[in-house]
Amino acid sequence: MIQLYNTLTQRKEPLKTLEPGKVRMYVCGMTVYDFCHLGHARVLVAFDVITRYLRHSGYDVTYVRNITDVDDKILRRADENGEAFTALTERMIEAMHEDERSLGVIAPDQEPRATGHMDDMLRMIQTLIEKGFAYAADNGDVYFAVEQFNGYGKLSKKKLDDLIAGARVDVSEVKRSPADFALWKAAKSGEVSWPSPWGDGRPGWHIECSAMSTCCLGNTFDIHGGGPDLLFPHHENEIAQSEAATGQPFVNYWMHAGAVRVNKEKMSKSLGNFFTIREILEKYPAEVVRYFLVSSHYRSQVDYSEENLAEASSTLTRLYQALRGLTPAADVPETDYDARFQAAMDDDFNTAGANTVLHALASEINRLRRDGEEAEASRLAAVLVRLGGVLGLLQQDPEAYFQSGSGEGPSAEEIEQQIEARAEARRNRDFAEADRIRDTLAEQGVILDDSREGTSWRRA
RNA sequence: GGCGCGGUGGCAGAGUGGUUAUGCAGCGGACUGCAACUCCGUGUACGCCGGUUCGAUUCCGACCCGCGCCUCCA
C-alpha cells in the first residue's frame, strides 16, 4: 500500500484513489517566459518519479501538467524583446520540452495551455459570480470574494483574519477585502486581451489551474502537485475557486516538492541566483543531475553545489561500473531487492531509501563477477536496470554513458589508438611509455580501466 | 509577528524505542608492473536540557540554531 504525505492533512496517508487502480494527477507547470531552472527540474523530476512508480505499481495514471502561456511576466518580457508574446512562449515551450527530454522526464498525458482554455475560465468565473463568490469591480477586474468561501486557508493553515490584517500589498480600493484576488484582469490599452462579459482582459493566474484541472480530470481528482512556493497563495486560491464553483471537494492529496537552494539561499527568480537546466547540463551529464535530484527525498530541500554534483557523478559511476560489460538477463522475476525497493518507495516515494537498494545490487553484482558467477550477475543486472528505470536512471548502455562527454577531448578513435599503443608498450614491458600514455589521456579527461579482458575507458 | 519544516559521523543523506543505512572522501589490506576499477576491513553520528522507559538519536516538553511561506516565483 502506497503511503504519501498530504500537505492538506500534514501527514502520510494511504493512497486511496477515487477509482480503483486509476490515479488522476495534476501538477502546476511552468510560466513560459524564460528557460527552466533547477527548481523547475526538481518538480519535473519529482513528479516524473512519482508517475513512474505509480505505473510500476500497476496504476493507470493520467498525468496533466499545464503551461501558463499568458501572464504579466510573459507580456513584459515579450515587450522587452520586441516580439509577440506567442513567439516568446512558443520558443520557451520548445526549450522546456528539450530540457525535459534531456532529464529523462516522461511527457505528461495532457499539457493544457491557458490560452487554450479561455472559455472554461470564463465559464468558471461566471459561475462564481452567480453563486456570490466573485464580483466585478468598477475598473473591469473580477475578484474572488475570499470571505464568502468557508475554509479559506485550510491548505496553508492561514487564518483569514491574519491575512487581512497583515496584507502588505497595496490595498486596492476596488477590492472588498484586502485578501481578495483577481480572477480576471481588465486590459490596459494596447495589451493583449480576450473579450469577456466584464470587458476585455485576461485571466488571473490562479483561475487557469482551477479551470484546466477540473476540465481535464473532473471536479474532484486524486493528486495535485507543484513547487513549494505555490502552496500559498496559488494552491489555496485554486481550492477556493474550484470548490466554490463546483460545490465539490477539489483534490484529495496535495503534494509539494522541496526547495532547491544555492549557497544556503533559496534559488528563485526574484533573488536572481538561479541556474538554468541548460547551464547545468553544460557541466554535468543530464543523468547526473537527475541522480542528484533523486538521491534525496522529494520533500526535503536540496543544496546545489559543485561538490554535490561531483559526488552524484562519482556515485552514479559506481552503479554503471557494476553494469559495465554485462548483458542483463531477460524476464527476471521479482526478487527481494524489488521488495525492498518497493517498501522504500511505498513510503512516500522515498527515493533515497530506494537508492540504497540500487547500491546493494551493485555490490552483489560486483562480488558475483569477482567470483566468476556471470549468470547470476546478469540476473541481478536486469534487476538493477529495472529498478533504476523506475527512478528514470541506468537506462543507457554503460559504455555510452562513460564515453559520452562534453564533446571536448580526444575522439573515441584517438583514444582506442592510444590504448593500443599502450598495450603494445606494456607487452614490451616499457612501463614508462605505457604510463606516459595513460597520464596524457588522464590530462585530457580520459580514465583507463584495465581488466583481464582488456582496457576500457571513460571520460571523467 | 503568524503558520510550517528541519537540526544525523569530514561531507551528502535515509531510518529506527534496544540490532549495519547507503554513498562520497579518508585510512589499512587484496588485486595490479604501477595505477584506475573492483573486493575485504575500518569510524563510541544522531543540536542542548529535562521527562517517560529496563533502555531514546528515535516518544513528550522547554530551549538554542537554521530554513521556507505570509509579495511575482517551481
Side-chain angles (χ1 to χ4, degrees):
Chain A
M1 178 60 111
I2 293 174
Q3 304 269 136
L4 52 86
Y5 183 85
N6 187 352
T7 311
L8 191 61
T9 57
Q10 298 177 102
R11 61 178 178 231
K12 287 183 199 170
E13 299 173 357
L15 175 63
K16 280 188 280 204
T17 58
L18 290 164
E19 199 181 315
K22 168 101 189 143
V23 172
R24 294 181 177 84
M25 180 167 81
Y26 182 92
V27 173
C28 288
M30 255 59 74
T31 299
V32 285
Y33 71 103
D34 206 342
F35 295 114
C36 295
H37 62 221
L38 232 206
H40 296 116
R42 182 94 200 272
V43 173
L44 250 17
V45 170
F47 288 98
D48 182 59
V49 168
I50 288 165
T51 303
R52 284 171 187 259
Y53 186 65
L54 289 170
R55 288 183 176 143
H56 176 78
S57 302
Y59 284 99
D60 172 19
V61 181
T62 301
Y63 178 17
V64 179
R65 193 183 61 223
N66 74 298
I67 295 176
T68 299
D69 63 350
V70 58
D71 116 302
D72 292 345
K73 294 184 292 299
I74 291 172
L75 299 180
R76 195 188 320 129
R77 181 64 61 87
D79 195 47
E80 286 166 11
N81 293 169
E83 64 183 330
F85 83 99
T86 47
L88 172 65
T89 55
E90 285 306 318
R91 202 149 39 79
M92 288 306 145
I93 289 169
E94 184 50 44
M96 173 181 81
H97 287 328
E98 258 176 45
D99 292 341
E100 282 178 53
R101 283 192 293 271
S102 302
L103 291 170
V105 171
I106 296 171
D109 299 292
Q110 294 178 61
E111 200 171 43
R113 302 181 185 190
T115 53
H117 287 263
M118 283 298 160
D119 291 347
D120 298 314
M121 292 187 234
L122 291 172
R123 237 188 328 271
M124 190 173 255
I125 295 171
Q126 184 66 53
T127 301
L128 288 170
I129 292 177
E130 284 165 9
K131 290 190 171 183
F133 288 107
Y135 57 93
D138 294 339
N139 64 352
D141 288 353
V142 179
Y143 290 97
F144 185 90
V146 162
E147 286 168 68
Q148 297 303 309
F149 181 70
N150 208 241
Y152 189 80
K154 64 184 174 185
L155 179 67
S156 55
K157 320 301 174 208
K158 294 181 187 306
K159 293 194 183 68
L160 192 50
D161 290 347
D162 295 340
L163 288 170
I164 292 169
R168 286 192 250 152
V169 215
D170 54 303
V171 180
S172 164
E173 315 77 53
V174 297
K175 287 199 216 173
R176 290 181 190 167
S177 164
D180 291 353
F181 57 89
L183 297 170
W184 187 258
K185 296 176 169 181
K188 301 187 191 75
S189 65
E191 277 185 343
V192 177
S193 65
W194 284 259
S196 87
W198 317 284
D200 291 354
R202 60 199 148 82
W205 175 33
H206 316 297
I207 193 69
E208 64 171 88
C209 282
S210 286
M212 288 189 274
S213 60
T214 54
C215 221
C216 295
L217 296 171
N219 289 165
T220 306
F221 53 96
D222 300 298
I223 298 174
H224 188 131
D229 37 17
L230 296 185
L231 207 156
F232 187 88
H234 189 237
H235 291 335
E236 192 68 63
N237 291 353
E238 275 190 60
I239 293 175
Q241 294 165 335
S242 305
E243 298 194 345
T246 68
Q248 294 172 291
F250 180 42
V251 168
N252 286 146
Y253 303 92
W254 283 90
M255 300 183 75
H256 294 90
V260 174
R261 307 180 68 208
V262 176
N263 295 138
K264 310 289 181 192
E265 253 188 344
K266 191 184 120 167
M267 157 155 44
S268 75
K269 292 284 179 75
S270 49
L271 288 170
N273 63 342
F274 60 92
F275 289 83
T276 63
I277 294 173
R278 40 196 59 207
E279 273 175 321
I280 292 168
L281 293 185
E282 283 173 15
K283 300 165 93 169
Y284 300 96
E287 192 169 347
V288 167
V289 177
R290 187 177 174 106
Y291 186 83
F292 165 68
L293 261 12
V294 162
S295 58
S296 63
H297 188 94
Y298 77 90
R299 278 192 288 119
S300 63
Q301 58 182 22
V302 296
D303 277 282
Y304 172 75
S305 69
E306 300 284 323
E307 296 74 37
N308 290 162
L309 269 286
E311 185 187 320
S313 177
S314 301
T315 306
L316 184 58
T317 291
R318 170 179 147 77
L319 260 18
Y320 267 119
Q321 285 281 14
L323 295 172
R324 199 175 202 181
L326 272 183
T327 303
D331 305 322
V332 178
E334 287 208 2
T335 63
D336 282 352
Y337 293 102
D338 291 80
R340 284 169 59 194
F341 181 91
Q342 278 154 221
M345 291 297 283
D346 277 351
D347 183 12
D348 195 29
F349 309 98
N350 186 349
T351 52
N355 189 217
T356 299
V357 180
L358 265 34
H359 284 282
L361 274 161
S363 294
E364 188 58 22
I365 289 168
N366 287 331
R367 278 191 290 269
L368 289 164
R369 300 177 80 177
R370 176 197 60 190
D371 298 340
E373 302 194 44
E374 290 279 321
E376 184 59 16
S378 290
R379 286 167 47 80
L380 292 188
V383 177
L384 180 51
V385 170
R386 169 166 76 211
L387 298 180
V390 178
L391 302 181
L393 300 169
L394 303 177
Q395 300 305 291
Q396 299 185 62
D397 173 74
E399 292 307 325
Y401 172 77
F402 286 128
Q403 299 181 0
S404 65
S406 53
E408 294 175 19
S411 68
E413 293 72 35
E414 289 170 315
I415 294 166
E416 298 292 353
Q417 257 172 29
Q418 291 304 107
I419 287 176
E420 185 40 51
R422 173 168 170 269
E424 179 62 23
R426 291 177 75 201
R427 276 192 291 275
N428 298 330
R429 313 221 24 106
D430 182 356
F431 296 121
E433 172 65 4
D435 289 351
R436 188 196 62 76
I437 293 172
R438 185 174 62 196
D439 291 346
T440 303
L441 284 171
E443 281 165 22
Q444 297 170 317
V446 177
I447 298 164
L448 301 186
D449 296 315
D450 291 333
S451 73
R452 279 155 203 75
E453 293 78 41
T455 300
S456 52
W457 60 276
R458 61 193 151 95
R459 296 192 196 271

